[in-house]
Amino acid sequence: MQDPYKVLGVSSNASDEEVKKAYRELAKKYHPDNYVDNPLADLAQEKMKEINEAYDTITRSRKNGSQTGSGSTGGYSSGYSSGWSGGGSAYQQAGGAYAQIRSAINAGNLQYAEQLLDASPTRDAEWNFLMGSLYYRKGWLDDARSFFQRAVSMDPSNGEYRQALNMLGGAGSPYRQTGYGPPAQQGGCDMCDMCTAMMCANMMCGGCR
Amino acid sequence: MFGYVRPLAPELKVKEFERFRACYCGLCHELGREYGAAGRSILNYDFVFLSMLLWGGRDSCDYCQRRCLPGFFRKKCVCASAPALTVAAGYSVILAYWKAVDNRDDSRGGRRLLAAAVRLLLKRPYRKAAARYPAFDRSVWERLDALHRLEAESCASLDRAADQFARLLASASGAAGEESRRALEQLLYHVGRIVYIADAFADLREDRRAGRYNPVAVRYGLASAEADERTKAGVRETLLSSVDLAAAALALLPKSYWTPVTENIVLLGLPDMIDRVLAGTYVTAGKRLPKRPQLSQNGE
């Protein structure tokens, strides 16, 4: 097994707090929520397992060792590993041909899923959603978006479809940060704002004197 | 189509920027040594990114002192030859050659002559590189050919057109080790997709003037050379979704000497490039800013 400290990216004499912080950051990065429907979900899951094991090993060895005084470690080890059931529970409920298509998409068998979808006689909301999922897996995000939008407009009450569309809009993405300064449409703090704020603050300091 | 994948330099630490520069110079020297002056002339940022990704899990880089033409009298610190640099140099020669062939067939007049001249100059370097990396050569040729056919039939799906170029770039992951190949393939796929679509957007005006196919114009049914707000929002959204997936793939690659730089490129450089391309203020080699930049609505 790999050195658990190396897995978490901390030195072996790091404090409990530092270990916990490093663990939390990594767990956030590789959390299954970030890899929903992602073709690399299995790799992320493996990584997550590695991190959990490393953290468990460190906390256990520290509890048994000399540092028994700090009782606040642990408690995170099981939280992240249990939440992921691999594919979402709604997938099991659908019946018939769609269930077959869902499992083909989940298994990464995209060609087969595409054949089934092409052969499907109906073009209802779920069909559009599944087409969207298929294209998402392929990385064809523009087409995926169109299909998800159609699915949502045909069945606005369905939470699963809306969630898929939101995912493409970057909702909850840990990586989505605006570049260097916010884009023009979103308000925010640019250099001028900061400058003005500084000037105001300076004036107020003068007033207090 | 080159020069879209760069770091956001102000956000790099000074030592990281120095490393990046040394890698850039290293690739330039590698191209010069292996493929001569003609090879050196095709140096671009995108393949510096590729060489950093192909570095593998190695946590170091050897440096050496070299001279080069700009600033001949002072030696520079550059990355010494490494397997990743050799591969990236070969791949960039292959892609540049086929791109020149493509340009020659696509354009008319002076541009056609220029492209034909570039193709002739690159012929010998290309033969050497293609003999070394036949698999990549075949994949580039096949993908560009398929792309050509899609362009000829005015493909209405933005994704279908971008898919060919994305797969072309993804095939460069073949040079990576077994443990990182899948993640690298996914990362390069989305970087290729971003580059293709951003380039199409940047070319809107020029393609319109030349009467050429442009995937963004067809997808959004643009009636003029200027993109409207709906088009901009759509392109921005789909490109940022690709950045998300590229970043998720990058996180799964083993940490290497270059990780701080590659993370900067994907998480900050690409979104910044996208913003600038959409605002019409992005400058790549060979493309100039429009004479009077269009002001956006906020007057920025």
Side-chain angles (χ1 to χ4, degrees):
Chain A
M1 195 188 150
Q2 266 184 298
D3 174 13
Y5 289 99
K6 214 172 167 188
V7 172
L8 295 187
V10 291
S11 78
S12 55
N13 46 20
S15 72
D16 290 352
E17 273 309 308
E18 281 165 346
V19 171
K20 195 195 278 181
K21 197 172 156 223
Y23 166 72
R24 273 184 174 177
E25 255 162 40
L26 287 173
K28 211 170 132 194
K29 196 169 169 185
Y30 296 109
H31 194 277
D33 284 354
N34 301 334
Y35 290 88
V36 178
D37 278 344
N38 193 310
L40 303 176
D42 56 321
L43 294 180
Q45 214 175 338
E46 256 168 52
K47 195 100 186 170
M48 195 73 206
K49 213 174 122 202
E50 215 173 81
I51 296 162
N52 280 330
E53 276 172 9
Y55 186 66
D56 277 349
T57 314
I58 293 175
T59 45
R60 219 177 302 128
S61 72
R62 286 193 173 187
K63 250 181 200 159
N64 298 339
S66 56
Q67 298 182 17
T68 34
S70 59
S72 64
T73 51
Y76 290 93
S77 44
S78 59
Y80 283 125
S81 52
S82 58
W84 178 243
S85 58
S89 57
Y91 287 173
Q92 274 89 51
Q93 291 159 14
Y98 285 147
Q100 210 180 347
I101 296 170
R102 275 177 195 266
S103 62
I105 294 175
N106 276 337
N109 194 352
L110 302 184
Q111 239 173 352
Y112 181 56
E114 196 159 11
Q115 276 173 15
L116 289 178
L117 279 166
D118 281 342
S120 167
T122 48
R123 297 282 190 266
D124 55 5
E126 186 163 9
W127 184 85
N128 277 296
F129 168 73
L130 289 174
M131 278 303 267
S133 305
L134 173 72
Y135 278 127
Y136 183 77
R137 280 294 284 257
K138 274 168 79 169
W140 294 29
L141 305 178
D142 188 48
D143 288 345
R145 197 180 166 76
S146 307
F147 279 113
F148 284 148
Q149 271 167 345
R150 219 168 298 155
V152 169
S153 70
M154 284 165 103
D155 184 2
S157 61
N158 190 309
E160 191 186 13
Y161 305 165
R162 257 182 293 127
Q163 201 185 353
L165 187 59
N166 285 343
M167 181 176 67
L168 267 178
S173 161
Y175 306 107
R176 187 72 63 96
Q177 17 184 319
T178 45
Y180 203 53
Q185 301 93 331
Q186 298 166 12
C189 180
D190 64 10
M191 276 314 196
C192 277
D193 289 345
M194 269 153 73
C195 209
T196 323
M198 290 292 193
M199 276 154 68
C200 291
N202 194 21
M203 276 159 71
M204 276 192 263
C205 285
C208 295
R209 223 180 275 156
Chain B
M1 206 168 261
F2 298 121
Y4 285 98
V5 187
R6 309 183 197 178
L8 186 61
E11 291 288 341
L12 284 173
K13 284 182 186 169
V14 174
K15 68 171 181 183
E16 289 161 6
F17 183 74
E18 297 279 315
R19 278 182 197 179
F20 174 73
R21 212 188 43 80
C23 186
Y24 183 81
C25 291
L27 184 62
C28 183
H29 281 283
E30 186 74 26
L31 278 164
R33 185 170 48 247
E34 296 282 340
Y35 304 103
R40 196 173 265 218
S41 67
I42 58 166
L43 174 69
N44 64 66
Y45 287 111
D46 311 56
F47 282 88
V48 180
F49 179 58
L50 181 66
S51 34
M52 292 191 285
L53 291 177
L54 291 177
W55 213 255
R58 212 144 65 85
D59 195 23
S60 64
C61 170
D62 300 326
Y63 291 97
C64 59
Q65 300 276 327
R66 287 277 162 75
R67 279 183 214 284
C68 62
L69 263 187
F72 182 77
F73 296 104
R74 255 182 67 197
K75 283 187 175 177
K76 275 188 194 156
C77 181
V78 308
C79 289
S81 179
L85 289 174
T86 314
V87 174
Y91 282 9
S92 70
V93 166
I94 291 172
L95 188 55
Y97 175 80
W98 284 115
K99 202 67 208 149
V101 172
D102 217 35
N103 281 349
R104 185 196 57 180
D105 297 343
D106 264 2
S107 41
R108 267 165 276 164
R111 277 164 186 268
R112 190 191 173 100
L113 281 178
L114 190 70
V118 172
R119 190 195 78 92
L120 270 182
L121 280 176
L122 284 179
K123 187 135 196 183
R124 268 162 71 95
Y126 162 73
R127 280 209 189 122
K128 188 173 173 188
R132 273 192 196 170
Y133 310 107
F136 185 72
D137 179 47
R138 196 177 50 244
S139 130
V140 170
W141 180 80
E142 278 172 7
R143 294 290 142 236
L144 284 180
D145 191 50
L147 189 57
H148 226 90
R149 265 179 280 134
L150 285 174
E151 287 176 352
E153 66 192 41
S154 269
C155 171
S157 163
L158 189 56
D159 282 323
R160 195 175 292 277
D163 181 60
Q164 296 298 339
F165 190 74
R167 276 161 67 186
L168 183 162
L169 213 58
S171 65
S173 64
E178 194 67 57
E179 79 286 356
S180 58
R181 191 169 301 155
R182 260 182 70 206
L184 185 58
E185 190 177 0
Q186 167 92 341
L187 168 61
L188 289 175
Y189 181 93
H190 283 284
V191 170
R193 183 174 182 273
I194 293 166
V195 167
Y196 182 81
I197 297 176
D199 189 58
F201 188 92
D203 279 347
L204 271 177
R205 194 170 309 180
E206 204 182 311
D207 284 347
R208 176 108 196 154
R209 205 181 320 129
R212 271 197 301 254
Y213 164 77
N214 184 299
V216 173
V218 174
R219 159 71 174 83
Y220 289 95
L222 293 184
S224 74
E226 287 307 320
D228 51 17
E229 286 307 315
R230 184 184 72 97
T231 308
K232 281 187 189 172
V235 170
R236 189 186 148 79
E237 220 23 88
T238 198
L239 289 185
L240 287 182
S241 300
S242 262
V243 172
D244 288 342
L245 286 173
L250 180 67
L252 291 171
L253 287 175
K255 284 246 178 293
S256 88
Y257 184 72
W258 300 102
T259 301
V261 185
T262 49
E263 275 181 353
N264 172 295
I265 291 178
V266 173
L267 297 178
L268 302 170
L270 288 177
D272 180 66
M273 178 275 286
I274 291 166
D275 279 346
R276 281 172 204 258
V277 166
L278 290 177
T281 56
Y282 193 75
V283 192
T284 58
K287 261 185 211 135
R288 271 181 236 121
L289 279 175
K291 271 187 190 136
R292 209 180 300 156
Q294 298 280 316
L295 290 179
S296 73
Q297 280 173 337
N298 306 28
E300 280 175 24

